[in-house]
Amino acid sequence: MNNVSCVMFHAKQDIIVSNSEDKSIRIWDATKRTGIQTFRREHDRFWILAAHPEMNLLAAGHDSGMIVFKLERERPAFVVSGDSLFYTKDRFLCFYEFPTQRDAQVLPFRRPGSLSLNQSPKTLSYSPTENAFLLCSDVDGGSYELYCISKQSYGRGDVQDEKRGHGASAVFVARNRFAVLEKSSNNVLIKNLKNDIVKKSVLPIATDAIFYAGTGNLLCRSEDKVFIFDLQQRIVLGELQTPFIKYVVWSDDMEHVALLSKHAIIIASKKLVHQCTLHETIRVKSGAWDENGVFIYTTLNHIKYCLPNGDNGIIKTLDIPIYITKVSGNTIFCLDRDGKNRAIIIDSTEYIFKLSLLKKRYDHVLNMIRNSHLCGQAMIAYLQQKGFPEVALHFVKDEKIRFNLALESGNIQIAVASATAIDEKDHWYRLGVEALRQGNAGIVEYAYQRTKNFERLSFLYLVTGNMEKLSKMLKIAEVKNDVMGQFHNALYMGDVRERVKILENVGHLPLAYITASVHGLHDVAERLAAELGDNVPSLPAGKVPSLVMPPSPVMCGSDWPLLRVMRGMFDGVLDNTGRGVADEEEYEAADGDWGEELDIVDADGLQNGDVTAILEDGEVAEENDEEGGWEMEDLGLGPEADTPKASISTQSSVFVTPTPGMPVSHIWTQKSSLAADHAAAGNFDTAMRLLNRQLGITNFAPLKTMFLDLHTGSHSYLRAFSSAPIISLAVERGWTESSSANVRGPPALPFKLSQLDEKLKAGYKFTTAGKFTEALKTFVNILHTIPLIVVESRREVDDVKELIIIVKEYVLGSQMELKRREVKDNIVRQQELAAYFTHCNLQTPHLRLALQNAMTVCFRAKNLATAANFARRLLETNPTNENQARAARQVVAAAEKNMTDATQLNYDFRNPFVICGATYMPIYRGQKDVSCPYCSSRFVPTQEGQLCNVCDLAVIGADASGLLCSPSQIR
């Protein structure tokens, strides 16, 4: 080593670290005196080295900064089997038993110096039946070691004869079989315990690592996805787009899998159906499933949880990084970086509570509310976010928060109590808005009284038809000298004399005169006319106007009727919890005397009180001794402290409005993977995605009208009141009178397979008549309709697929015939197109017409040999039309005299071929071609990626899963 500027001896690894002026750091094996690894920077020199006093980290400083690196992998390789843990520590394979916490060495898996820097085992796979182990490392670019031992030899430290091999990954896939990945050839080798190859499979996607995915299955990792490969059937069972996956953790029942990348966790089903994705800012270290189906994982400094729906939270903070091996109840078993087994006790109350809410295990939720100390703003916010404000109410003592939660859950009773305690104008206003939404007129009235919102109170009496209270509001406006309030109340009541009186008092005599005149108050009008003198306004001649009274309300003087609903699971919980009785007493004290006293406001309104109860302090009406003042000794406003009950006695069981149910369109989209059902539900976006994935369709313009027909055809519309919105009713497929009202069926669709059969017959008639333009339109319409029909049985599915093939042939043939009629000046091309038409799979009558047409075109062009071929093919069909048969025999006879062709055609009837749907040229057997994923039309390779000319929907050569048009295909 020349030009060494700094040297450090790392005692633990027995390695010398050399810092050289040749712009590199070299790590040497002190025993073998050979270089192991080199870190190099092209433009910087290294000058100093430092080791962390406690952690396995080294730092090297260079001209422009420094680098930090490790000498050895700190995560031990481990595998869990039942109640046993096998893991690597130093140079030994160790065994740990969870129930007894017994720890023992199983065997030494390598000799000192056999592995190089940072090349300790990465993964460990175990076969419990054969007690066999597979240790994989990065030695020599990827290798594995196979050990087969007896359980009686645990702890003896005997050196076993291992079997070695090369491969990027190795994992057991059966009792006595394991798979090895050959990364260079993208092959998977299946070997037995003798390390002999018994089977070889080629992976369909480039793979750089494999993981266990159940017996006979592999979970394979590629650059941007993972997929499950069935080794027996050699097919892909499912795939999922993911970031680069480092670790795979299966649940105990193999129904769910957690895919761990550097900063993300993806939860999926056993078929790799995505469930949720969780992103972390700090590296994810490890994870394990608990018995409840919650994924517990660790980052560098936290233990966290992830529920099946993606909700997550922190369980515990860590001092040092750990690697979870098993979760059992409230105990987490783990390994630290020194390879020591630890057992950490955690509090699982929070995530078990959230899981119970998620799975609607309300009995567990109630038990935890009674017996657990669940509190905190985070829990309250979670319950509120997830739609359980009524549960959050049980954890809150702050009246403002309780008021907000009560409004959100529709619990008017608690909202009234909280608003009374808070007694702020804004809260009374919000209470009035919610009570009005629920139709509880008594609470609305009380809220408006508390805020002295007389305008809203008057309008409330108008819409509820309470004319008695409306007249009292008129008197209140007089006391307050509120002219506009008086006029509005008089207008609401239809009291013309009062309106004239108000106008006269404020000096608007012309308006008062006009109002009295048009409403037939002649005595008042004459008196006002005398006062006006010459300024009497003139009235327009014409129809005599009539008095317009306010319309009668639908409900008069009572609350709007509510649906009777069952009490919620959580509404009785207060009786047995800490808040219980004390809170009920608090509500009773705050509410005053409800019951009989409720009639003060709700029934008789403004009774047993003085008008000054709702006026501002100091406002007192002036008295007139001669006329007895305003005569308002008994307006009965009621004491301000009396709070009305949230629900009147006749509706005491009605306490909360029911939440809206799920729209039928959402039920349709959730239950079905058929594009037609999604389009009928109005979810055009998902319908287009399904068609793209299933059939490779990208051109949806021809399907627009059909999408609209599906949506409108599966709904009916009912008009209720003129002021109410139109009600949309779902029309269900297969509905009968015996159908359950609680079970929603699929949507009724306007397109039927029988309709397509009728269109096919119409297309046949157009073809027979030679009307190829009309025939082409008919057949293309069938191709456009097929993706949006739904059939019930497998037999009908086969019929649909057969229909696609039939219609595709006629579309291609019609297009070629129309093209032939366009190229009148090119005799050779005319003959070729006529010849190709005869190779379409047509019905026998149409094939005879095509053969006769090709025979005629070629015979007129002096291509006698080709014409004779068509004539013979025509005679082989046994034509029933004598004219066809006679013409064919004449052509054969004429051609036998001179079996030659005047022009050379690109047509060889002896060599089987298919016709390109874009170029209308033959693709002979053995030549490469691409096909349309929907109609299966064939094309030359240069057409790949273009829109299919036959169906005008799909992209040529696109990947697609296939036609899905029946629920039976999904089942």
Side-chain angles (χ1 to χ4, degrees), residues 75-331:
R75 177 191 173 100
F78 64 87
V79 62
V80 176
S81 177
D83 289 330
S84 301
L85 167 70
F86 296 94
Y87 64 99
T88 59
K89 183 178 181 181
D90 297 330
R91 299 184 176 97
F92 291 91
L93 177 64
C94 301
F95 163 79
Y96 179 79
E97 197 170 42
F98 292 113
T100 62
Q101 299 188 10
R102 180 171 69 92
D103 204 340
Q105 291 182 352
V106 178
L107 57 88
F109 59 82
R110 61 183 175 92
R111 295 180 178 86
S114 62
L115 291 180
S116 302
L117 176 67
N118 210 19
Q119 291 182 339
S120 57
K122 291 179 61 177
T123 61
L124 176 61
S125 184
Y126 174 60
S127 173
T129 307
E130 302 295 333
N131 208 43
F133 300 88
L134 272 173
L135 284 83
C136 300
S137 66
D138 291 334
V139 176
D140 300 329
S143 63
Y144 66 88
E145 298 177 9
L146 173 64
Y147 297 89
C148 297
I149 62 174
S150 62
K151 293 186 178 181
Q152 290 74 19
S153 64
Y154 286 6
R156 296 180 183 177
D158 298 335
V159 178
Q160 303 291 325
D161 292 333
E162 75 278 6
K163 297 178 177 62
R164 298 175 179 269
H166 292 282
S169 301
V171 62
F172 280 102
V173 293
R175 176 178 60 85
N176 55 359
R177 295 286 188 272
F178 65 94
V180 179
L181 173 64
E182 280 189 344
K183 194 173 178 180
S184 58
S185 59
N186 205 43
N187 290 333
V188 170
L189 306 179
I190 308 301
K191 297 186 177 184
N192 56 24
L193 297 183
K194 296 180 181 179
N195 208 24
D196 298 330
I197 299 175
V198 296
K199 189 177 180 181
K200 184 176 181 180
S201 298
V202 179
L203 296 175
I205 303 173
T207 303
D208 56 18
I210 56 175
F211 304 91
Y212 177 71
T215 304
N217 294 334
L218 288 175
L219 192 147
C220 305
R221 179 187 73 192
S222 62
E223 184 177 357
D224 60 346
K225 69 172 67 174
V226 293
F227 62 94
I228 294 180
F229 184 72
D230 190 318
L231 293 169
Q232 187 67 30
Q233 303 180 56
R234 299 185 180 183
I235 60 173
V236 175
L237 300 180
E239 65 178 49
L240 182 64
Q241 295 286 336
T242 64
F244 185 79
I245 298 301
K246 298 177 67 177
Y247 308 108
V248 175
V249 184
W250 287 92
S251 60
D252 292 338
D253 57 3
M254 296 296 292
E255 290 294 324
H256 303 279
V257 61
L259 308 172
L260 279 60
S261 69
K262 185 176 181 180
H263 292 291
I265 298 174
I266 299 94
I267 306 296
S269 68
K270 63 180 179 180
K271 294 294 182 65
L272 292 186
V273 177
H274 180 267
Q275 294 180 347
C276 66
T277 298
L278 192 62
H279 294 280
E280 290 286 346
T281 56
I282 303 177
R283 286 192 177 188
V284 178
K285 290 297 183 181
S286 63
W289 295 86
D290 80 342
E291 57 267 24
N292 298 300
V294 178
F295 187 68
I296 311 298
Y297 67 97
T298 62
T299 61
L300 195 63
N301 46 21
H302 287 108
I303 300 177
K304 297 186 175 184
Y305 65 86
C306 177
L307 299 182
N309 64 343
D311 293 340
N312 66 303
I314 297 175
I315 298 175
K316 188 179 181 67
T317 303
L318 297 173
D319 297 328
I320 59 173
I322 62 171
Y323 305 96
I324 297 179
T325 55
K326 185 181 178 68
V327 180
S328 179
N330 289 339
T331 304

Side-chain angles (χ1 to χ4, degrees), residues 658-678:
T659 56
M662 181 182 293
V664 180
S665 57
H666 290 185
I667 299 176
W668 287 346
T669 55
Q670 287 183 357
K671 287 186 175 182
S672 176
S673 297
L674 304 178
D677 290 346
H678 285 250

Side-chain angles (χ1 to χ4, degrees), residues 56 115 141 270 285 325 434 454 513 521 643 746-747 769 838 870 952:
N56 181 28
L115 291 180
K270 63 180 179 180
K285 290 297 183 181
T325 55
E434 176 61 23
F454 299 120
Y513 170 78
L521 302 179
T643 306
T838 65
F870 295 133
D952 195 32

